[in-house]
Amino acid sequence: MTIACGFSRFLSTRVHSSTNRVLSLWFASCPCSSSSASASEPPEIAAAPETVREGRAEIFADKSNSVFFNKAQVNNRDLSIAVLRWFISKRQEEHDTQLKGRRAEIPPEQHADGLDPATTGSEDTALREESSLKAPKVLEALAASGLRAIRYALEVDGIGEVIALDNNEVAIESCKRNIYHNGILASSKVVPHLADARIYMLTHPKEFDVVDLDPYGSPAAFLDSAVQCVADGGILMCSATDMAVLAGGNAEVCFSKYGSYPVRGKYRHEMALRILLACIESHAIRHKRYIVPVISVHMDFYIRVFVRIFTSASTVKSSPLKFSHVYQCVGCNSFHLQNVGRINSKDKRNIPLPNFCPTVPQECSECGGKFVMGGPIWSDPIHDRDWAASILSNIRATSGLYQAYAKISAILTSVSEELPNAPLFVSLHSICATLKCTNPTMVMFHSAIRNAGYQISGSHADPLALKTDAPMSVIWDIMRCWVKLHPVKSQPENLPGSRILSQEPQLQASFSQATGGLVARKSPRFLPNPEKHWGPKMKAGRPLKILPIDKL
Ligand SMILES: C[S@@+](CC[C@H](N)C(=O)[O-])C[C@H]1O[C@@H](n2cnc3c(N)ncnc32)[C@H](O)[C@@H]1O
Ligand SMILES: [Zn+2]
């Protein structure tokens, strides 16, 4: 309460003009204005509270860490705003197309004006009523200071009500102060609400076009209620910062939280995304719903996925085809995916059946190592390429609107170039380390894959990633050919690399520059962190070291 009383006193020293409606509103609405300084107290000029600005919003700084705020999440918030802007225009477009379709189905004589709507554009009354799409309703389920909710309200045109929810009273009080501080528009759109997000989401089924989950660590506990709370065609935006768990540091914890075993490969950050997506899908299908991922990124120290949610009992049946187990060789790190389900070609209904035995032998055919089995992971595409390209071109056209423009445009550039049907990737460094050979350049390796008739791209998750539809045997053959041109020192025979090199390649690799291959890039794909302390933050309530305001 001390902060709120200080807040009232701060404002009372400044609210002089009756024309300053916004300030008066803040003052009148200060949560503790009734219990603030009594007339008998000596007048006290409080120092102006320090504030933090991000995008078009400004919030009160909280050095005591009683409410969570991490400046580094500006990348997360800016990207979410970019996705939200595109989602709103896309939803409008889908709505218009649907309406046009329905209009065309109505015979002209049933129209109020008797004219053919297809040629005149006139509408039947009922359709006219339906024709305007309601402004999308947003739930920020774990709102903390409310910064994100306020930014959505101030920066995303066409957005409707934004509920800023938190189960922490101090957070909700801070939310209220921040909302008032941001003026009429924020106050008219953002509604702070004290509740447990899980209960709130369960009791508001299909009510929100947008649900944002930005938890401490894992979102797992919120997923079952979140997938039920999103409206049909709506979007769930979900972060996970428990990377040690998702990326294989604590495999058993990952299994208990997400129902999937991670494997410690170079692709672990992409695997983390695919584990989270698989987990969201597995919650969705329990409720006859399914997900369509539109953007899925690993950035800084966390992952964030944007998935649309639809309802269809028949589509849910094909869900097993979107999950795969991952077999990874403990010797050479070769990996192979196998779908959980399979289509029986004789069954015209296309209903998947459980898949056959593992597609890999007991021992790796490249190096003789054993396989560990990870997953199941989401093995369908993790991005919608059209969405990625459109969001990228939108943010390029309005770069001034994004504080994190450099970072989010670099990520989206990488995302828009990723091969959609090549889950996971190998790392050029790791392959060369296994063989103990010198690296071919990225351009050479890309060319060799293309010259062998396969596709290849990078990944936003790792600058050295090689994402390809070529099987592991082709990748190793290319490297065997490379080593013939650039011999390695002799190694003990039992090393995985020696075993791989003891086999003759089945294909003759060509490293000459392939057409349409990797070329010099004008825009960056990977950026260093802008400053120190660019990482996760302590939970609210635990004292931080005293930091200057710019480090909060
Ligand atoms: C990481 S912070 C959110 C940060 C915020 N989204 C942002 O962009 O600054 C997580 C918040 O979730 C809240 N929280 C944790 N469990 C919750 C629950 N069951 N229901 C509602 N809020 C919860 C915490 O009080 C905390 O404020
Ligand atoms: Zn192997």
Side-chain angles (χ1 to χ4, degrees):
M1 283 319 215
T2 331
I3 304 169
C5 296
F7 175 79
S8 296
R9 285 197 293 274
F10 160 64
L11 288 181
S12 68
T13 60
R14 282 159 178 77
V15 181
H16 301 302
S17 159
S18 59
T19 57
N20 192 337
R21 247 186 101 214
V22 175
L23 275 181
S24 320
L25 175 72
W26 302 337
F27 181 54
S29 316
C30 173
C32 65
S33 53
S34 56
S35 62
S36 63
S38 74
S40 57
E41 276 184 52
E44 181 190 324
I45 306 294
E50 286 182 290
T51 55
V52 180
R53 179 161 271 281
E54 188 185 287
R56 286 178 55 195
E58 188 174 83
I59 59 165
F60 291 104
D62 171 22
K63 288 187 184 175
S64 67
N65 194 35
S66 57
V67 178
F68 183 87
F69 168 68
N70 187 356
K71 173 184 166 178
Q73 296 274 23
V74 60
N75 296 337
N76 181 324
R77 288 183 283 265
D78 268 13
L79 178 64
S80 306
I81 286 173
V83 174
L84 211 43
R85 286 186 171 132
W86 180 248
F87 167 74
I88 287 179
S89 61
K90 196 75 193 157
R91 200 130 159 80
Q92 185 65 55
E93 188 187 305
E94 289 166 357
H95 176 80
D96 293 347
T97 312
Q98 221 176 27
L99 206 69
K100 224 169 156 185
R102 267 191 279 159
R103 234 197 252 155
E105 279 165 19
I106 298 173
E109 62 275 13
Q110 285 181 21
H111 283 263
D113 53 13
L115 298 172
D116 180 356
T119 52
T120 63
S122 65
E123 292 168 298
D124 156 83
T125 322
L127 274 181
R128 199 177 303 134
E129 273 168 18
E130 280 182 66
S131 66
S132 59
L133 181 63
K134 284 201 185 106
K137 239 177 121 175
V138 181
L139 172 66
E140 203 215 337
L142 309 162
S145 66
L147 171 61
R148 185 183 293 259
I150 295 169
R151 287 198 61 194
Y152 290 166
L154 298 183
E155 298 177 42
V156 182
D157 284 345
I159 203 126
E161 190 178 45
V162 185
I163 307 288
L165 193 118
D166 207 288
N167 68 348
N168 181 312
E169 278 182 38
V170 184
I172 289 299
E173 286 310 308
S174 138
C175 233
K176 286 180 188 167
R177 286 193 295 278
N178 287 327
I179 294 166
Y180 302 133
H181 181 64
N182 280 277
I184 302 279
L185 184 57
S187 301
S188 66
K189 290 208 166 171
V190 188
V191 181
H193 191 78
L194 178 69
D196 186 311
R198 293 164 298 181
I199 296 168
Y200 187 88
M201 291 191 288
L202 267 183
T203 48
H204 293 75
K206 295 193 182 178
E207 201 175 304
F208 289 89
D209 304 284
V210 181
V211 172
D212 190 317
L213 291 181
D214 181 44
Y216 291 134
S218 172
F222 303 102
L223 293 179
D224 200 59
S225 41
V227 296
Q228 298 178 65
C229 182
V230 178
D232 273 322
I235 193 165
L236 172 64
M237 321 203 282
C238 174
S239 325
T241 61
D242 54 338
M243 291 311 292
V245 168
L246 279 161
N250 300 300
E252 74 293 352
V253 180
C254 188
F255 193 84
S256 65
K257 283 192 190 301
Y258 297 95
S260 184
Y261 260 130
V263 176
R264 290 178 67 107
K266 288 285 173 192
Y267 50 62
R268 60 186 181 280
H269 292 143
E270 181 173 336
M271 190 168 192
L273 284 168
R274 291 179 178 278
I275 288 174
L276 176 57
L277 290 171
C279 186
I280 302 175
E281 167 82 353
S282 64
H283 281 289
I285 59 180
R286 284 164 209 180
H287 307 285
K288 296 194 173 59
R289 313 198 83 191
Y290 65 97
I291 64 164
V292 177
V294 289
I295 302 283
S296 312
V297 292
H298 168 257
M299 60 207 288
D300 299 327
F301 49 92
Y302 56 89
I303 55 175
R304 176 113 168 129
V305 298
F306 301 85
V307 301
R308 294 191 73 186
I309 297 191
F310 299 91
T311 307
S312 160
S314 61
T315 308
V316 160
K317 287 187 184 161
S318 61
S319 188
L321 301 173
K322 302 172 189 171
F323 288 80
S324 289
H325 287 292
V326 182
Y327 299 100
Q328 188 186 276
C329 171
V330 296
C332 67
N333 293 326
S334 292
F335 68 86
H336 307 267
L337 264 67
Q338 183 177 20
N339 266 148
V340 167
R342 75 181 157 88
I343 286 290
N344 176 3
S345 51
K346 289 181 193 142
D347 181 353
K348 291 206 173 67
R349 295 166 309 156
N350 272 351
I351 294 179
L353 297 173
N355 214 341
F356 292 119
C357 301
T359 42
V360 289
Q362 286 292 308
E363 289 176 352
C364 171
S365 44
E366 307 296 333
C367 78
K370 285 199 182 334
F371 285 104
V372 285
M373 189 176 81
I377 62 166
W378 174 265
S379 49
D380 252 22
I382 61 173
H383 320 292
D384 179 314
R385 277 189 138 186
D386 291 342
W387 275 59
S390 306
I391 296 168
L392 182 60
S393 79
N394 276 1
I395 63 167
R396 280 185 179 150
T398 53
S399 58
L401 299 181
Y402 300 98
Q403 207 168 310
Y405 171 73
K407 179 77 177 187
I408 64 171
S409 64
I411 285 200
L412 285 172
T413 304
S414 264
V415 158
S416 61
E417 293 166 345
E418 276 176 25
L419 266 189
N421 294 319
L424 310 182
F425 52 79
V426 293
S427 149
L428 190 54
H429 261 189
S430 139
I431 290 178
C432 294
T434 301
L435 300 182
K436 304 197 188 315
C437 68
T438 57
N439 279 16
T441 62
M442 284 296 241
V443 174
M444 283 171 168
F445 194 90
H446 274 237
S447 295
I449 291 278
R450 282 176 192 276
N451 291 334
Y454 298 96
Q455 293 177 286
I456 187 162
S457 75
S459 158
H460 77 279
D462 184 339
L464 293 171
L466 303 165
K467 206 175 227 305
T468 175
D469 55 357
M472 287 306 305
S473 56
V474 167
I475 293 171
W476 288 120
D477 269 0
I478 287 171
M479 292 310 294
R480 289 182 181 108
C481 295
W482 173 256
V483 171
K484 280 184 191 291
L485 298 171
H486 303 85
V488 295
K489 287 188 204 149
S490 78
Q491 308 285 337
E493 278 177 12
N494 59 350
L495 290 183
S498 310
R499 291 190 177 162
I500 290 170
L501 293 174
S502 68
Q503 299 180 39
E504 277 303 305
Q506 302 296 302
L507 72 80
Q508 195 50 53
S510 160
F511 294 93
S512 56
Q513 174 108 38
T515 44
L518 200 59
V519 285
R521 294 150 152 189
K522 281 191 196 133
S523 43
R525 270 58 172 176
F526 297 92
L527 294 176
N529 290 340
E531 57 186 64
K532 285 185 188 170
H533 308 293
W534 203 255
K537 275 268 156 72
M538 198 81 84
K539 275 189 180 183
R542 299 183 191 165
L544 293 172
K545 278 191 305 191
I546 299 299
L547 287 174
I549 191 164
D550 62 318
K551 298 280 182 282
L552 277 177

